[in-house]
Amino acid sequence: MKKTSLLIAGLAAAPASAASISITIPRLNVAEYHRPYVAAWVEPAGGGAARTLFVWYDVDLRGAEPGTKWLSDLRTWWRKGGRSLKLPADGVSGATRAPGTHKVTLPADLKPGQYTLYVEAARETGGREIVSMPLTVPVAGGSASGKAELGAITLSAR
């Protein structure tokens, strides 16, 4: 009986907009591979300020050339607001990710509406790629795919 009550309480506490993004970073067969810097943000479809969802960079690199030095290589994100973001930002910034699929939860306070989701990746001695896709909150689902630096990007309701 207690398990049922806890389960129902857990379902009731979940926000209606609860959803996640799966981002695949492909393994590239190159001589010198570096993990990419990746940022994702949303913009209201009707225009408005961009909101950074996450930025993955070399948080351990410090000194004369800190990891933040190359965040401007994420050119579109940088212009949309990355340069004004104070890093490290709690809940937003994190370490670079290895090739594979990584899941990120959308913020629960994202208001219902139409948005565009952007995911941008840039890699040292590599390329840069940006993928965009429509995002409706509450999330019903969707997917897009990059061609080189990014693989499949999938939106799903939890």
Side-chain angles (χ1 to χ4, degrees):
M1 189 67 168
K2 278 187 169 181
K3 288 182 180 176
T4 304
S5 297
L6 289 174
L7 177 61
I8 291 171
L11 290 174
S17 63
S20 62
I21 310 168
S22 292
I23 299 119
T24 300
I25 298 173
R27 164 61 79 189
L28 301 175
N29 192 15
V30 294
E32 186 179 349
Y33 181 81
H34 298 275
R35 292 180 178 184
Y37 282 24
V38 181
W41 69 98
V42 292
E43 293 180 17
R51 178 177 175 177
T52 298
L53 300 176
F54 67 84
V55 58
W56 298 334
Y57 66 101
D58 192 344
V59 294
D60 292 332
L61 200 54
R62 302 185 192 287
E65 294 189 344
T68 54
K69 179 178 179 179
W70 291 279
L71 284 173
S72 60
D73 289 348
L74 297 167
R75 288 183 250 154
T76 306
W77 171 77
W78 188 252
R79 285 192 306 268
K80 292 287 184 174
R83 66 178 146 211
S84 62
L85 187 64
K86 183 169 173 46
L87 294 168
D90 191 31
V92 174
S93 56
T96 56
R97 303 293 199 268
T101 300
H102 306 278
K103 189 173 179 179
V104 177
T105 303
L106 279 176
D109 63 349
L110 199 57
K111 294 180 179 171
Q114 303 291 319
Y115 298 88
T116 302
L117 168 69
Y118 295 90
V119 179
E120 183 175 21
R123 194 169 44 85
E124 183 181 351
T125 65
R128 185 184 78 84
E129 184 169 30
I130 185 167
V131 174
S132 65
M133 60 188 295
L135 166 66
T136 302
V137 175
V139 173
S143 65
S145 185
K147 294 179 179 161
E149 301 295 331
L150 291 168
I153 298 169
T154 307
L155 286 166
S156 59
R158 271 197 263 173

Short mmCIF file of all heavy atoms in Angstrom, two decimals, residues 70-125:
data_model
loop_
_atom_site.label_atom_id
_atom_site.label_comp_id
_atom_site.label_asym_id
_atom_site.label_seq_id
_atom_site.Cartn_x
_atom_site.Cartn_y
_atom_site.Cartn_z
N TRP A 70 38.03 28.94 -25.53
CA TRP A 70 37.59 28.48 -26.85
C TRP A 70 36.07 28.39 -26.97
O TRP A 70 35.57 27.88 -27.97
CB TRP A 70 38.23 27.14 -27.17
CG TRP A 70 39.70 27.31 -27.40
CD1 TRP A 70 40.30 27.74 -28.54
CD2 TRP A 70 40.74 27.12 -26.45
NE1 TRP A 70 41.66 27.82 -28.36
CE2 TRP A 70 41.97 27.43 -27.09
CE3 TRP A 70 40.77 26.71 -25.12
CZ2 TRP A 70 43.19 27.35 -26.45
CZ3 TRP A 70 42.00 26.63 -24.48
CH2 TRP A 70 43.18 26.94 -25.14
N LEU A 71 35.35 28.87 -25.94
CA LEU A 71 33.88 28.84 -26.06
C LEU A 71 33.38 29.70 -27.21
O LEU A 71 32.31 29.44 -27.76
CB LEU A 71 33.24 29.29 -24.74
CG LEU A 71 33.27 28.24 -23.64
CD1 LEU A 71 32.76 28.82 -22.33
CD2 LEU A 71 32.45 27.02 -24.03
N SER A 72 34.15 30.69 -27.59
CA SER A 72 33.73 31.54 -28.72
C SER A 72 33.73 30.77 -30.04
O SER A 72 33.17 31.24 -31.03
CB SER A 72 34.60 32.79 -28.82
OG SER A 72 35.96 32.41 -29.02
N ASP A 73 34.35 29.56 -30.06
CA ASP A 73 34.28 28.72 -31.26
C ASP A 73 32.86 28.19 -31.49
O ASP A 73 32.53 27.78 -32.60
CB ASP A 73 35.25 27.54 -31.16
CG ASP A 73 36.70 27.97 -31.28
OD1 ASP A 73 36.95 29.14 -31.67
OD2 ASP A 73 37.59 27.16 -30.99
N LEU A 74 32.05 28.20 -30.43
CA LEU A 74 30.62 27.91 -30.58
C LEU A 74 29.98 29.23 -31.01
O LEU A 74 29.29 29.90 -30.24
CB LEU A 74 30.03 27.39 -29.27
CG LEU A 74 30.60 26.07 -28.75
CD1 LEU A 74 30.18 25.82 -27.30
CD2 LEU A 74 30.14 24.92 -29.64
N ARG A 75 30.25 29.62 -32.22
CA ARG A 75 30.00 30.99 -32.69
C ARG A 75 28.55 31.45 -32.53
O ARG A 75 28.30 32.56 -32.08
CB ARG A 75 30.42 31.12 -34.15
CG ARG A 75 31.92 31.11 -34.30
CD ARG A 75 32.32 31.31 -35.73
NE ARG A 75 32.87 30.04 -36.19
CZ ARG A 75 32.90 29.63 -37.42
NH1 ARG A 75 32.39 30.37 -38.36
NH2 ARG A 75 33.43 28.48 -37.73
N THR A 76 27.62 30.62 -32.92
CA THR A 76 26.22 31.06 -32.85
C THR A 76 25.78 31.20 -31.40
O THR A 76 25.17 32.21 -31.02
CB THR A 76 25.32 30.08 -33.62
OG1 THR A 76 25.82 29.93 -34.94
CG2 THR A 76 23.89 30.58 -33.67
N TRP A 77 26.08 30.19 -30.58
CA TRP A 77 25.72 30.27 -29.16
C TRP A 77 26.42 31.47 -28.52
O TRP A 77 25.82 32.17 -27.70
CB TRP A 77 26.13 28.97 -28.45
CG TRP A 77 26.00 29.06 -26.96
CD1 TRP A 77 24.84 28.99 -26.23
CD2 TRP A 77 27.06 29.27 -26.02
NE1 TRP A 77 25.13 29.14 -24.90
CE2 TRP A 77 26.49 29.31 -24.74
CE3 TRP A 77 28.43 29.42 -26.15
CZ2 TRP A 77 27.24 29.50 -23.59
CZ3 TRP A 77 29.19 29.60 -25.00
CH2 TRP A 77 28.59 29.65 -23.74
N TRP A 78 27.66 31.71 -28.87
CA TRP A 78 28.43 32.80 -28.29
C TRP A 78 27.73 34.14 -28.56
O TRP A 78 27.58 34.97 -27.68
CB TRP A 78 29.84 32.79 -28.88
CG TRP A 78 30.79 33.75 -28.25
CD1 TRP A 78 31.27 34.92 -28.79
CD2 TRP A 78 31.39 33.64 -26.95
NE1 TRP A 78 32.11 35.53 -27.93
CE2 TRP A 78 32.22 34.76 -26.78
CE3 TRP A 78 31.30 32.70 -25.93
CZ2 TRP A 78 32.96 34.98 -25.62
CZ3 TRP A 78 32.04 32.92 -24.77
CH2 TRP A 78 32.85 34.04 -24.64
N ARG A 79 27.28 34.32 -29.80
CA ARG A 79 26.61 35.58 -30.16
C ARG A 79 25.23 35.69 -29.51
O ARG A 79 24.77 36.78 -29.21
CB ARG A 79 26.47 35.70 -31.67
CG ARG A 79 27.75 36.03 -32.38
CD ARG A 79 27.49 36.42 -33.83
NE ARG A 79 26.73 35.41 -34.55
CZ ARG A 79 27.26 34.43 -35.26
NH1 ARG A 79 28.57 34.32 -35.35
NH2 ARG A 79 26.51 33.56 -35.89
N LYS A 80 24.56 34.56 -29.32
CA LYS A 80 23.19 34.57 -28.76
C LYS A 80 23.17 34.80 -27.26
O LYS A 80 22.09 34.94 -26.69
CB LYS A 80 22.49 33.25 -29.07
CG LYS A 80 22.19 33.03 -30.51
CD LYS A 80 21.06 33.91 -30.96
CE LYS A 80 20.70 33.62 -32.39
NZ LYS A 80 19.51 34.36 -32.80
N GLY A 81 24.29 34.79 -26.61
CA GLY A 81 24.28 35.04 -25.18
C GLY A 81 25.38 34.35 -24.41
O GLY A 81 25.54 34.60 -23.21
N GLY A 82 26.13 33.48 -25.06
CA GLY A 82 27.19 32.77 -24.37
C GLY A 82 28.25 33.69 -23.81
O GLY A 82 28.75 33.47 -22.71
N ARG A 83 28.57 34.75 -24.55
CA ARG A 83 29.63 35.65 -24.08
C ARG A 83 29.25 36.41 -22.82
O ARG A 83 30.11 36.86 -22.09
CB ARG A 83 30.05 36.61 -25.18
CG ARG A 83 29.00 37.58 -25.59
CD ARG A 83 29.50 38.53 -26.66
NE ARG A 83 28.40 38.84 -27.56
CZ ARG A 83 28.55 39.11 -28.82
NH1 ARG A 83 29.74 39.13 -29.36
NH2 ARG A 83 27.53 39.37 -29.57
N SER A 84 27.96 36.55 -22.54
CA SER A 84 27.54 37.26 -21.32
C SER A 84 27.27 36.31 -20.16
O SER A 84 26.98 36.76 -19.05
CB SER A 84 26.29 38.09 -21.61
OG SER A 84 25.22 37.24 -21.98
N LEU A 85 27.39 35.02 -20.40
CA LEU A 85 27.15 34.03 -19.35
C LEU A 85 28.38 33.91 -18.46
O LEU A 85 29.49 33.72 -18.96
CB LEU A 85 26.82 32.67 -19.99
CG LEU A 85 26.38 31.54 -19.07
CD1 LEU A 85 25.06 31.88 -18.38
CD2 LEU A 85 26.22 30.26 -19.87
N LYS A 86 28.21 34.04 -17.17
CA LYS A 86 29.32 33.89 -16.22
C LYS A 86 29.51 32.40 -15.94
O LYS A 86 28.62 31.74 -15.44
CB LYS A 86 29.03 34.65 -14.94
CG LYS A 86 30.17 34.60 -13.95
CD LYS A 86 29.94 35.59 -12.83
CE LYS A 86 30.95 35.49 -11.72
NZ LYS A 86 32.32 35.39 -12.07
N LEU A 87 30.69 31.91 -16.31
CA LEU A 87 30.98 30.48 -16.17
C LEU A 87 32.02 30.23 -15.10
O LEU A 87 32.91 31.05 -14.91
CB LEU A 87 31.45 29.92 -17.51
CG LEU A 87 30.39 29.93 -18.59
CD1 LEU A 87 30.99 29.64 -19.94
CD2 LEU A 87 29.30 28.92 -18.26
N PRO A 88 31.94 29.13 -14.40
CA PRO A 88 30.94 28.07 -14.55
C PRO A 88 29.58 28.50 -14.02
O PRO A 88 29.50 29.23 -13.04
CB PRO A 88 31.52 26.92 -13.73
CG PRO A 88 32.39 27.56 -12.70
CD PRO A 88 32.92 28.81 -13.35
N ALA A 89 28.53 28.09 -14.69
CA ALA A 89 27.16 28.41 -14.31
C ALA A 89 26.50 27.18 -13.73
O ALA A 89 26.48 26.12 -14.37
CB ALA A 89 26.39 28.91 -15.53
N ASP A 90 26.00 27.31 -12.53
CA ASP A 90 25.38 26.19 -11.83
C ASP A 90 24.19 25.63 -12.61
O ASP A 90 23.29 26.36 -13.00
CB ASP A 90 24.92 26.65 -10.45
CG ASP A 90 24.52 25.50 -9.55
OD1 ASP A 90 25.10 24.41 -9.70
OD2 ASP A 90 23.64 25.70 -8.71
N GLY A 91 24.22 24.33 -12.86
CA GLY A 91 23.13 23.68 -13.56
C GLY A 91 23.17 23.83 -15.07
O GLY A 91 22.33 23.28 -15.77
N VAL A 92 24.13 24.59 -15.59
CA VAL A 92 24.21 24.83 -17.03
C VAL A 92 25.51 24.30 -17.60
O VAL A 92 25.52 23.66 -18.65
CB VAL A 92 24.06 26.34 -17.35
CG1 VAL A 92 24.30 26.62 -18.82
CG2 VAL A 92 22.69 26.84 -16.93
N SER A 93 26.62 24.56 -16.94
CA SER A 93 27.91 24.17 -17.51
C SER A 93 28.37 22.83 -16.95
O SER A 93 28.02 22.43 -15.84
CB SER A 93 28.96 25.24 -17.24
OG SER A 93 29.08 25.51 -15.87
N GLY A 94 29.15 22.15 -17.77
CA GLY A 94 29.68 20.86 -17.37
C GLY A 94 30.84 20.47 -18.24
O GLY A 94 31.17 21.17 -19.21
N ALA A 95 31.46 19.36 -17.90
CA ALA A 95 32.62 18.89 -18.63
C ALA A 95 32.23 18.36 -20.01
O ALA A 95 31.08 17.97 -20.23
CB ALA A 95 33.30 17.77 -17.84
N THR A 96 33.20 18.36 -20.92
CA THR A 96 32.96 17.79 -22.24
C THR A 96 32.55 16.33 -22.09
O THR A 96 32.86 15.68 -21.09
CB THR A 96 34.23 17.87 -23.11
OG1 THR A 96 35.29 17.21 -22.43
CG2 THR A 96 34.60 19.30 -23.43
N ARG A 97 31.87 15.83 -23.10
CA ARG A 97 31.38 14.45 -23.06
C ARG A 97 32.09 13.61 -24.12
O ARG A 97 32.41 14.10 -25.20
CB ARG A 97 29.88 14.40 -23.33
CG ARG A 97 29.03 15.23 -22.39
CD ARG A 97 29.06 14.66 -20.97
NE ARG A 97 27.95 15.11 -20.15
CZ ARG A 97 27.96 16.17 -19.37
NH1 ARG A 97 29.04 16.90 -19.29
NH2 ARG A 97 26.91 16.50 -18.64
N ALA A 98 32.28 12.35 -23.80
CA ALA A 98 32.87 11.39 -24.73
C ALA A 98 31.84 11.03 -25.80
O ALA A 98 30.64 11.24 -25.61
CB ALA A 98 33.31 10.15 -23.97
N PRO A 99 32.29 10.45 -26.90
CA PRO A 99 31.33 9.97 -27.89
C PRO A 99 30.33 9.03 -27.25
O PRO A 99 30.67 8.22 -26.38
CB PRO A 99 32.21 9.25 -28.91
CG PRO A 99 33.52 9.93 -28.82
CD PRO A 99 33.67 10.27 -27.35
N GLY A 100 29.08 9.14 -27.68
CA GLY A 100 27.99 8.34 -27.12
C GLY A 100 26.74 9.18 -27.07
O GLY A 100 26.70 10.29 -27.59
N THR A 101 25.71 8.65 -26.43
CA THR A 101 24.44 9.37 -26.32
C THR A 101 24.28 9.87 -24.89
O THR A 101 24.48 9.11 -23.94
CB THR A 101 23.27 8.45 -26.71
OG1 THR A 101 23.47 8.01 -28.06
CG2 THR A 101 21.95 9.19 -26.62
N HIS A 102 23.95 11.14 -24.78
CA HIS A 102 23.83 11.79 -23.48
C HIS A 102 22.44 12.40 -23.35
O HIS A 102 21.94 13.01 -24.28
CB HIS A 102 24.90 12.87 -23.33
CG HIS A 102 26.28 12.34 -23.59
ND1 HIS A 102 27.00 11.66 -22.64
CD2 HIS A 102 27.04 12.33 -24.72
CE1 HIS A 102 28.15 11.28 -23.17
NE2 HIS A 102 28.20 11.67 -24.43
N LYS A 103 21.86 12.23 -22.18
CA LYS A 103 20.50 12.70 -21.94
C LYS A 103 20.54 13.93 -21.05
O LYS A 103 21.22 13.94 -20.02
CB LYS A 103 19.69 11.59 -21.27
CG LYS A 103 18.22 11.86 -21.16
CD LYS A 103 17.52 10.63 -20.63
CE LYS A 103 16.03 10.87 -20.48
NZ LYS A 103 15.35 9.66 -20.00
N VAL A 104 19.79 14.95 -21.44
CA VAL A 104 19.69 16.20 -20.68
C VAL A 104 18.22 16.49 -20.45
O VAL A 104 17.40 16.41 -21.38
CB VAL A 104 20.33 17.36 -21.46
CG1 VAL A 104 20.16 18.68 -20.72
CG2 VAL A 104 21.79 17.08 -21.76
N THR A 105 17.88 16.82 -19.23
CA THR A 105 16.50 17.13 -18.90
C THR A 105 16.20 18.59 -19.24
O THR A 105 17.00 19.49 -18.93
CB THR A 105 16.25 16.89 -17.40
OG1 THR A 105 16.58 15.53 -17.11
CG2 THR A 105 14.82 17.16 -17.03
N LEU A 106 15.07 18.83 -19.88
CA LEU A 106 14.66 20.20 -20.15
C LEU A 106 14.24 20.86 -18.83
O LEU A 106 13.69 20.18 -17.96
CB LEU A 106 13.47 20.23 -21.11
CG LEU A 106 13.77 20.08 -22.58
CD1 LEU A 106 12.48 20.03 -23.38
CD2 LEU A 106 14.63 21.22 -23.08
N PRO A 107 14.46 22.15 -18.68
CA PRO A 107 14.04 22.82 -17.45
C PRO A 107 12.53 22.71 -17.25
O PRO A 107 11.76 22.88 -18.20
CB PRO A 107 14.44 24.28 -17.67
CG PRO A 107 15.38 24.27 -18.82
CD PRO A 107 15.11 23.04 -19.62
N ALA A 108 12.12 22.40 -16.04
CA ALA A 108 10.70 22.24 -15.73
C ALA A 108 9.95 23.56 -15.82
O ALA A 108 8.74 23.57 -16.01
CB ALA A 108 10.55 21.62 -14.34
N ASP A 109 10.68 24.68 -15.72
CA ASP A 109 9.99 25.97 -15.75
C ASP A 109 9.89 26.56 -17.16
O ASP A 109 9.53 27.73 -17.32
CB ASP A 109 10.69 26.96 -14.82
CG ASP A 109 12.12 27.25 -15.24
OD1 ASP A 109 12.65 26.54 -16.12
OD2 ASP A 109 12.71 28.19 -14.67
N LEU A 110 10.18 25.77 -18.18
CA LEU A 110 10.03 26.22 -19.56
C LEU A 110 8.53 26.33 -19.85
O LEU A 110 7.81 25.33 -19.78
CB LEU A 110 10.72 25.24 -20.51
CG LEU A 110 11.06 25.73 -21.90
CD1 LEU A 110 11.94 26.97 -21.87
CD2 LEU A 110 11.73 24.62 -22.69
N LYS A 111 8.06 27.52 -20.13
CA LYS A 111 6.62 27.75 -20.30
C LYS A 111 6.10 27.09 -21.57
O LYS A 111 6.81 27.01 -22.57
CB LYS A 111 6.35 29.25 -20.34
CG LYS A 111 6.66 29.93 -19.05
CD LYS A 111 6.38 31.40 -19.11
CE LYS A 111 6.70 31.98 -17.74
NZ LYS A 111 6.67 33.41 -17.70
N PRO A 112 4.84 26.64 -21.55
CA PRO A 112 4.25 26.04 -22.76
C PRO A 112 4.32 27.03 -23.92
O PRO A 112 4.11 28.22 -23.75
CB PRO A 112 2.80 25.76 -22.34
CG PRO A 112 2.85 25.63 -20.86
CD PRO A 112 3.92 26.59 -20.42
N GLY A 113 4.61 26.50 -25.09
CA GLY A 113 4.69 27.34 -26.28
C GLY A 113 5.57 26.73 -27.34
O GLY A 113 5.98 25.58 -27.25
N GLN A 114 5.83 27.54 -28.36
CA GLN A 114 6.65 27.11 -29.49
C GLN A 114 8.05 27.70 -29.37
O GLN A 114 8.20 28.91 -29.14
CB GLN A 114 6.02 27.61 -30.80
CG GLN A 114 4.59 27.15 -31.02
CD GLN A 114 4.52 25.67 -31.28
OE1 GLN A 114 5.35 25.12 -32.00
NE2 GLN A 114 3.54 25.01 -30.70
N TYR A 115 9.03 26.86 -29.56
CA TYR A 115 10.43 27.27 -29.47
C TYR A 115 11.21 26.65 -30.62
O TYR A 115 10.73 25.77 -31.33
CB TYR A 115 11.07 26.77 -28.16
CG TYR A 115 10.43 27.31 -26.91
CD1 TYR A 115 9.35 26.67 -26.31
CD2 TYR A 115 10.93 28.46 -26.30
CE1 TYR A 115 8.76 27.14 -25.16
CE2 TYR A 115 10.35 28.95 -25.13
CZ TYR A 115 9.27 28.28 -24.57
OH TYR A 115 8.70 28.77 -23.42
N THR A 116 12.43 27.09 -30.76
CA THR A 116 13.39 26.41 -31.62
C THR A 116 14.53 25.97 -30.72
O THR A 116 15.06 26.78 -29.94
CB THR A 116 13.92 27.34 -32.72
OG1 THR A 116 12.81 27.80 -33.49
CG2 THR A 116 14.88 26.59 -33.64
N LEU A 117 14.87 24.68 -30.81
CA LEU A 117 15.99 24.13 -30.05
C LEU A 117 17.22 24.13 -30.95
O LEU A 117 17.15 23.70 -32.11
CB LEU A 117 15.68 22.69 -29.62
CG LEU A 117 16.86 21.88 -29.07
CD1 LEU A 117 17.30 22.42 -27.71
CD2 LEU A 117 16.49 20.41 -28.97
N TYR A 118 18.32 24.63 -30.44
CA TYR A 118 19.59 24.63 -31.16
C TYR A 118 20.62 23.83 -30.37
O TYR A 118 20.70 23.97 -29.15
CB TYR A 118 20.12 26.06 -31.32
CG TYR A 118 19.26 26.95 -32.17
CD1 TYR A 118 18.25 27.71 -31.60
CD2 TYR A 118 19.46 27.03 -33.55
CE1 TYR A 118 17.46 28.54 -32.38
CE2 TYR A 118 18.67 27.84 -34.34
CZ TYR A 118 17.67 28.59 -33.74
OH TYR A 118 16.88 29.41 -34.52
N VAL A 119 21.39 23.03 -31.07
CA VAL A 119 22.53 22.32 -30.47
C VAL A 119 23.71 22.59 -31.38
O VAL A 119 23.64 22.39 -32.59
CB VAL A 119 22.28 20.81 -30.36
CG1 VAL A 119 23.49 20.11 -29.74
CG2 VAL A 119 21.03 20.52 -29.53
N GLU A 120 24.79 23.11 -30.80
CA GLU A 120 25.98 23.46 -31.57
C GLU A 120 27.19 22.76 -30.98
O GLU A 120 27.32 22.68 -29.76
CB GLU A 120 26.19 24.98 -31.56
CG GLU A 120 27.36 25.44 -32.40
CD GLU A 120 27.48 26.96 -32.47
OE1 GLU A 120 26.93 27.65 -31.58
OE2 GLU A 120 28.12 27.45 -33.41
N ALA A 121 28.06 22.25 -31.84
CA ALA A 121 29.28 21.57 -31.40
C ALA A 121 30.46 22.13 -32.18
O ALA A 121 30.35 22.44 -33.37
CB ALA A 121 29.18 20.07 -31.61
N ALA A 122 31.59 22.25 -31.49
CA ALA A 122 32.84 22.66 -32.14
C ALA A 122 33.96 21.85 -31.50
O ALA A 122 33.95 21.60 -30.30
CB ALA A 122 33.09 24.15 -31.95
N ARG A 123 34.89 21.45 -32.33
CA ARG A 123 35.97 20.58 -31.85
C ARG A 123 37.32 21.13 -32.29
O ARG A 123 37.48 21.56 -33.44
CB ARG A 123 35.76 19.17 -32.41
CG ARG A 123 36.54 18.09 -31.78
CD ARG A 123 36.05 16.72 -32.24
NE ARG A 123 35.80 16.64 -33.66
CZ ARG A 123 36.75 16.37 -34.56
NH1 ARG A 123 37.97 16.15 -34.18
NH2 ARG A 123 36.45 16.32 -35.83
N GLU A 124 38.30 21.10 -31.36
CA GLU A 124 39.67 21.53 -31.68
C GLU A 124 40.22 20.67 -32.81
O GLU A 124 40.07 19.44 -32.78
CB GLU A 124 40.54 21.39 -30.43
CG GLU A 124 41.96 21.87 -30.63
CD GLU A 124 42.79 21.69 -29.37
OE1 GLU A 124 42.24 21.36 -28.30
OE2 GLU A 124 44.01 21.89 -29.47
N THR A 125 40.81 21.29 -33.76
CA THR A 125 41.33 20.65 -34.99
C THR A 125 40.24 19.86 -35.72
O THR A 125 40.51 18.91 -36.43
CB THR A 125 42.54 19.72 -34.74
OG1 THR A 125 42.12 18.61 -33.95
CG2 THR A 125 43.69 20.45 -34.10
#
